[in-house]
Amino acid sequence: QVQLVESGGGLVQAGDSLRLSCKASGRTFSTYELGWFRQAPGKEREFVSGISESGRSTVVTNSVKGRFTISRDNAMSTMYLQMNSLKPEDTAVYYCAVKIGLGKVVDEMEYDSWGPGTQVTVSS
């Protein structure tokens, strides 16, 4: 089973950028669809972005469209989330996960092998 570990979070000011990484163990990384989710304090976990096995197909939620970009490097078994023009409402713990189901890409129930998360805090 693949294991995922996120990194790259931190405390930044509004308008700054961060790049999150999601490093996977195992040798089958290129066979997985992957996703980024986030959970803000007191809120449910929400979908942020997803990427196909090859990386050619991506989807992002409307609230981050134009600011966040998902990508992956299968040779490095790593997925990325480039976050630009960060806003205080982007403050959350960010998680990556493997999509194992055939359902909607935005549905967290379709995902498994969640990483422990990385904290992103954006000050105003």
Side-chain angles (χ1 to χ4, degrees), residues 15-71:
D16 285 350
S17 298
L18 279 174
R19 188 176 79 156
L20 304 184
S21 298
C22 173
K23 175 71 173 176
S25 64
R27 294 180 287 180
T28 59
F29 181 79
S30 62
T31 65
Y32 298 124
E33 285 186 66
L34 298 164
W36 284 102
F37 287 74
R38 67 185 181 185
Q39 186 167 21
K43 295 187 177 181
E44 294 186 352
R45 189 155 55 187
E46 64 173 354
F47 173 80
V48 176
S49 188
I51 190 166
S52 64
E53 296 91 330
S54 68
R56 286 193 287 267
S57 178
T58 64
V59 60
V60 295
T61 193
N62 285 339
S63 62
V64 307
K65 194 168 291 184
R67 299 189 298 121
F68 290 12
T69 303
I70 191 172
S71 62

Side-chain angles (χ1 to χ4, degrees), residues 4-123:
L4 305 177
V5 178
E6 305 90 342
S7 62
L11 171 62
V12 297
Q13 293 186 331
D16 285 350
S17 298
L18 279 174
R19 188 176 79 156
L20 304 184
S21 298
C22 173
K23 175 71 173 176
S25 64
R27 294 180 287 180
T28 59
F29 181 79
S30 62
T31 65
Y32 298 124
E33 285 186 66
L34 298 164
W36 284 102
F37 287 74
R38 67 185 181 185
Q39 186 167 21
K43 295 187 177 181
E44 294 186 352
R45 189 155 55 187
E46 64 173 354
F47 173 80
V48 176
S49 188
I51 190 166
S52 64
E53 296 91 330
S54 68
R56 286 193 287 267
S57 178
T58 64
V59 60
V60 295
T61 193
N62 285 339
S63 62
V64 307
K65 194 168 291 184
R67 299 189 298 121
F68 290 12
T69 303
I70 191 172
S71 62
R72 66 191 294 167
D73 184 339
N74 285 342
M76 298 295 292
S77 297
T78 304
M79 175 177 66
Y80 304 99
L81 186 67
Q82 178 68 43
M83 307 187 296
N84 299 329
S85 302
L86 282 161
K87 303 176 181 180
E89 51 263 44
D90 295 318
T91 294
V93 178
Y94 284 71
Y95 301 90
C96 60
V98 175
K99 188 175 185 295
I100 60 171
L102 301 177
K104 294 180 179 180
V105 67
V106 300
D107 186 353
E108 67 171 296
M109 298 302 294
E110 299 296 322
Y111 290 80
D112 196 6
S113 301
W114 295 86
T118 186
Q119 176 71 48
V120 172
T121 304
V122 185
S123 63

